[in-house]
Every structure is written in structure tokens, then in C-alpha cells.
Amino acid sequence: MDPKTLPAVFDGHNDVLLRLYRAGGPAAADTFLTGDAGHIDLPKARAGGLGGGFFAVYVPSEGGEDNEEAMAQDSYDLPLPPPEPQDRALTVAMAQVATLERLEELGALKICRSAAEIHISMVEHKLAAILHMEGAEAIDPEMITLDVLHGAGLRSLGPVWSRPTIFGEGVPFRYPSDGDTGGGLTDLGVALVRRCNALKIMIDLSHMTMAGFWDVARQSDAPLVATHSNAHAICPHARNLTDAQLEAIAASDGMVGLNYATAFLRPDGRMIDTGLDDMLRHLDHLLGKLGETRVGLGSDFDGAMIPSAIGSAAGLPALRAAMTAHGYGPELIERICHGNWLRVLEKTWGH
């Protein structure tokens, strides 16, 4: 399949900036242009028809997080790392923001602050990047950092990854389980949601506890969005969304991006390889609960094990071919690939 004849993919989540941070930060940005061993780089994006996505700023725990072996078991409940101090988190986050800015300087991508800029970048075949923050450890209680990051282009934020923050709690890597694993937003978390609403920063629900999800639903005046989450009815993992949560997202006219991480796809919750059929099962369920205008893709490229049938951004034509073979029509595939993201971002950002 020639990716030039297929609808471009706008992706709800990647961890490219984390990978480049570990390789040297801004100094490693050149490798993105030439290609390396990661899931996303410029050659792979062009080969697979990746038009852009959410580039996450994520602060890894100081002790590291290597969960794949434990998550390959039949069941697991992994302890969460302790909270990250704000000073360290800010240092790491700034290095990743600087890396994204370096990629823009090199001409690899465009940091987009509006849906119109995303559309123009994709038409011009330039990778469209949203600066996203996965876990708000770098944000101070007064939220001065949030205002500065917004000025730098931050347009999407998840209050938590999985470890707790001053803003709330996240779900652990637990199977089988639902997301009812702890507390919700703190008072500072409520203030963060309101400040994000005022700045038109999209709030990402993908790592929130069930309590936190419902707190955001009560406090936010924006569409509810989970950038990279799957259906709990198909895979009963703590990270996945129940039907009640999906119905709330639909009622808010928000959306969900399908996560490619195999542990959140497979009905048995194991982080081992799986086929594209599991992805289609989740898509079917999400479409049934959310409707055709509220489902997209949220790969978790460079942050998780993904199906080998895709392998990297270069393998995205295989997913689009599977959707076609499954009976999805061209208009629906285009919505899933990028149209729905542009719709919800325009509604959230107001432009």
C-alpha cells in the first residue's frame, strides 16, 4: 500500500521526546531526521503516512521503569514509583521541550498551537506536533510553570501519569482490575483543571483513576478526551475505560485514541505480541459506545510494546489495510486516522 494514497494518521500519543532525552536530548535530535531504532523518526513517519501527533513530555522515575516482563504474566499489580520532586521534573521536562524545539529548528516538524496549523502542516507534508505533558510533576502549585509552558506551545496535559502528583492519583499497572484504585483530584488538581480550561489546554484522562476521571468530568467545561486508552469491556485492565466512562466521553462530545500497547489490547492483559484483530475489537467497541466522530488513534509509539504486524510508524499502512478489510469505509477510516482529532481539538481550543 502506498502511504501517499492513504489518509494521513494524526496520533494521540508518542514518547519520542523521552527516547531522545535518554539518547542525549537536543544533541540527539539529528537522529530523528536520519532514522534510528525507535518507533518514530522522520523516515518511518514518511514511509507510514504519519502526519503528526501529540509529542509527550514525560519524566521517567529516577529508579527506572521496566515493567514489560512483569506485565507478560497472567496477572500483575505493580507498585507505583514515589512522587517526583518538582525541581527534578522541571529540569527533565525542559530538556524534552528543548528537544522538540530543536526538531522544529531542524525542519523535522512544526509545533502546532491550533487545529488550523495542524491542517496546514499535514497538507504541506510537514509533521504536525502538539506539545503535550504526560504527568504534571513539573508544574508548581502556583502554576506559573503552566503559563510559561503554554507560551512555549503546551496545548495538552495529563494531570498524572501513574505515580501520584500534587494534583491527583493515577492508575497502577494492574490486571485484572478497573480504574477504581485510589483517590481523584486534589484541591490543586481542581485548580489545574480550571486553569487548563481557561488557557484552552486539553486535559488528558488516559492515566486518571476512576475517581479522578469523574472529578474532571464534573469540573471541566471542555470535551472529555483520553488520548491513548482502550475498552475495559474487551481488556479488563486498570488503564482501560469502562462503558460508563465511554458514555460520559460521548456525552461531552470528546473522544478516545486507541492505544497500541499490547497489554491494553489483549483480553488476557499480557504484554506480549498480539494481532491486529485485537485492535479491531477495541475499535468496534469504541465506535459502538462513542460514535464514528469520537474515535481516533493513540499509539504509545516509543513508550510500549506494540503489535509486530505494525512494528513502527512505517507499519501504519497495515492498520489501515486491516480496517478496510474489516469493512470500515473510506470516510470512517479518514475520521479515525485524523479527522476526529482535528474536530475535537478545534472544539477544545476554539480555533
Side-chain angles (χ1 to χ4, degrees):
M1 264 189 170
D2 183 355
K4 293 178 182 177
T5 67
L6 297 170
V9 169
F10 191 83
D11 182 58
H13 187 88
N14 73 59
D15 284 298
V16 170
L17 298 179
L18 172 64
R19 176 168 60 78
L20 292 175
Y21 168 76
R22 287 171 164 161
D30 288 7
T31 64
F32 186 84
L33 279 71
T34 56
D36 56 25
H39 287 155
I40 300 179
D41 52 43
L42 204 52
K44 292 186 184 80
R46 288 171 174 164
L50 179 67
F54 291 68
F55 282 64
V57 171
Y58 166 70
V59 178
S61 298
E62 213 160 4
E65 302 136 9
D66 187 8
N67 297 328
E68 283 192 1
E69 184 176 348
M71 291 175 68
Q73 307 307 310
D74 293 335
S75 63
Y76 44 86
D77 184 3
L78 306 186
L80 291 175
E84 281 293 316
Q86 194 252 337
D87 56 350
R88 174 182 179 267
L90 183 59
T91 299
V92 175
M94 289 302 98
Q96 293 184 28
V97 173
T99 302
L100 186 65
E101 291 176 337
R102 178 60 180 155
L103 289 173
E104 185 174 56
E105 289 171 5
L106 292 169
L109 50 76
K110 164 71 175 172
I111 301 173
C112 296
R113 294 163 170 81
S114 69
E117 287 186 352
I118 295 170
H119 178 75
I120 291 167
S121 292
M122 291 176 69
V123 167
E124 294 177 347
H125 301 290
K126 176 164 280 191
L127 205 58
I130 294 174
L131 175 54
H132 167 75
M133 181 164 278
E134 182 177 33
E137 285 92 344
I139 307 298
D140 57 287
E142 295 76 26
M143 299 179 210
I144 296 168
T145 312
L146 182 69
D147 290 352
V148 173
L149 286 168
H150 178 261
L154 184 73
R155 292 297 181 271
S156 175
L157 177 143
V160 296
W161 165 66
S162 283
R163 64 190 165 225
T165 71
I166 60 174
F167 304 107
E169 295 186 29
V171 288
F173 294 96
R174 181 185 296 176
Y175 177 92
S177 180
D178 59 22
D180 189 13
T181 61
L185 294 177
T186 63
D187 289 345
L188 277 174
V190 171
L192 178 67
V193 168
R194 291 175 178 166
R195 185 62 185 152
C196 285
N197 282 172
L199 292 172
K200 304 296 184 185
I201 296 173
M202 193 191 83
I203 299 160
D204 181 16
L205 296 163
S206 284
H207 287 268
M208 300 294 293
T209 61
M210 193 175 287
F213 177 100
W214 294 115
D215 284 344
V216 173
R218 282 188 291 270
Q219 297 294 335
S220 179
D221 61 14
L224 300 177
V225 177
T227 59
H228 55 303
S229 292
N230 294 339
H232 189 271
I234 306 297
C235 168
H237 196 288
R239 276 284 312 277
N240 288 339
L241 298 168
T242 65
D243 286 353
Q245 290 173 305
L246 295 176
E247 288 161 8
I249 290 170
S252 77
D253 202 18
M255 69 173 286
V256 174
L258 176 78
N259 191 324
Y260 304 0
T262 60
F264 312 136
L265 289 168
R266 293 175 57 94
D268 63 7
R270 300 179 68 197
M271 189 72 88
I272 58 176
D273 196 19
T274 197
L276 300 186
D277 285 352
D278 280 336
M279 300 181 79
L280 294 168
R281 289 188 192 98
H282 282 272
L283 283 174
D284 283 346
H285 191 84
L286 294 173
L287 288 164
K289 294 296 179 182
L290 297 169
E292 294 190 356
T293 62
R294 302 186 189 96
V295 179
L297 303 174
S299 67
D300 219 348
F301 278 144
D302 283 315
M305 178 186 292
I306 64 169
S308 60
I310 296 175
S312 72
L316 285 169
L319 177 56
R320 284 168 289 194
M323 286 192 275
T324 298
H326 192 59
Y328 293 177
E331 289 185 3
L332 175 57
I333 292 173
E334 186 167 350
R335 287 193 193 108
I336 292 170
C337 285
H338 64 259
N340 290 342
W341 274 123
L342 290 173
R343 179 199 68 79
V344 82
L345 290 172
E346 184 171 355
K347 183 169 183 178
T348 302
W349 294 343
H351 59 295

